[in-house]
């Protein structure tokens, strides 16, 4: 999972970016790089704050939204024909708007872990919640599928990605208003 960190150095601005990229020209890797550069931009916006304020980003949904907004702008710049613009919009709808119910279900499941005293049905509970929000079912209820999500095992809130969808499109609309 790509990550970008502010290294909290006051004299010189220092950022650490971690990514595995096999092919620098693949669309997936370009998307990762653009998104992570959005994090760098947001880090730089509050680089003169004390380390206490830098440790926890001012708004994690905006942190995610800036990179996603750059992706929308990047895709908008390279799409020219009407057909490619429609394809880009459909791709955007299929990749971003599905994050909202997924984020809600993942965070509700994570919260239910703190309320439950039994861990015997946590995978089944996860799929029950996913079915409520997304109307999907697993092929089988084996294993610990929610624990395969990077954000779950690293204690990172996922609701910021759901909120970022709204912020992304608000930022994009603001950038496009003059046109």
């Amino acid at each position: 999972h790509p990550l970008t960190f502010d290294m909290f150095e006051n004299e010189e601005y220092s950022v650490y970016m971690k990514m595995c990229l096999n092919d620098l020209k693949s669309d997936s890797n370009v998307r990762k790089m653009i998104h992570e550069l959005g994090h760098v931009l947001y880090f730089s916006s509050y680089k003169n704050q004390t380390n206490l304020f830098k440790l926890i980003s001012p708004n994690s949904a905006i942190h995610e939204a800036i990179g996603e907004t750059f992706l929308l702008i990047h895709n908008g710049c390279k799409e020219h024909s009407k057909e490619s613009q429609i394809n880009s919009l459909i791709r955007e709808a299929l990749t971003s708007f599905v994050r909202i119910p997924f984020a809600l279900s993942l965070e509700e499941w994570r919260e239910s872990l703190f309320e439950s005293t039994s861990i015997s049905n946590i995978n089944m509970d996860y799929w029950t919640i996913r079915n409520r929000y997304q109307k999907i079912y697993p092929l089988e209820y084996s294993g610990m599928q929610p624990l395969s999500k990077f954000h779950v095992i690293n204690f990172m809130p996922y609701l910021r990605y759901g909120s970022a969808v709204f912020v992304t499109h608000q930022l994009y609309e603001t950038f496009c208003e003059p046109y």
Side-chain angles (χ1 to χ4, degrees):
H1 185 81
L3 292 171
T4 304
F5 302 97
D6 184 342
M7 301 307 288
F8 306 120
E9 295 185 18
N10 292 328
E11 293 81 31
E12 293 184 23
Y13 185 60
S14 178
V15 173
Y16 174 77
M17 194 179 294
K18 176 190 80 80
M19 274 184 269
C20 290
L21 304 171
N22 295 334
D23 178 10
L24 292 176
K25 295 180 182 177
S26 80
D27 188 52
S28 173
N29 287 333
V30 169
R31 291 177 61 85
K32 287 177 190 176
M33 287 186 282
I34 292 171
H35 177 90
E36 293 305 314
L37 287 172
H39 288 301
V40 172
L41 176 71
Y42 197 47
F43 285 140
S44 70
S45 72
Y46 55 89
K47 70 179 180 183
N48 295 325
Q49 297 294 324
T50 63
N51 287 344
L52 177 63
F53 289 110
K54 287 195 270 186
L55 187 60
I56 300 172
S57 69
N59 187 320
S60 61
I62 291 176
H63 235 303
E64 295 305 323
I66 289 173
E68 294 300 308
T69 303
F70 284 176
L71 284 174
L72 285 177
I73 292 168
H74 171 74
N75 290 338
C77 291
K78 69 178 185 176
E79 308 293 346
H80 298 290
S81 71
K82 189 160 189 87
E83 181 180 308
S84 63
Q85 288 177 344
I86 290 171
N87 287 340
S88 179
L89 290 171
I90 289 172
R91 182 176 50 246
E92 175 61 23
L94 291 174
T95 57
S96 74
F97 291 109
V98 296
R99 284 190 210 128
I100 299 166
F102 178 74
L104 288 171
S105 61
L106 189 64
E107 290 301 334
E108 185 176 317
W109 172 80
R110 197 183 332 219
E111 185 179 320
S112 75
L113 292 176
F114 294 107
E115 297 171 355
S116 176
T117 56
S118 170
I119 61 167
S120 60
N121 291 327
I122 59 176
N123 199 44
M124 178 74 100
D125 294 344
Y126 171 74
W127 284 105
T128 301
I129 294 168
R130 294 267 322 258
N131 180 25
R132 184 178 329 126
Y133 286 106
Q134 296 179 283
K135 304 297 184 212
I136 58 173
Y137 301 93
L139 296 175
E140 58 182 59
Y141 289 103
S142 65
M144 294 293 294
Q145 287 137 342
L147 295 180
S148 66
K149 187 71 182 157
F150 173 86
H151 300 79
V152 172
I153 62 171
N154 287 286
F155 308 105
M156 295 173 69
Y158 202 79
L159 198 53
R160 68 184 182 183
Y161 295 96
S163 302
V165 171
F166 298 106
V167 177
T168 297
H169 291 89
Q170 290 172 340
L171 288 172
Y172 186 67
E173 182 180 24
T174 301
F175 288 139
C176 293
E177 260 179 18
Y179 304 103

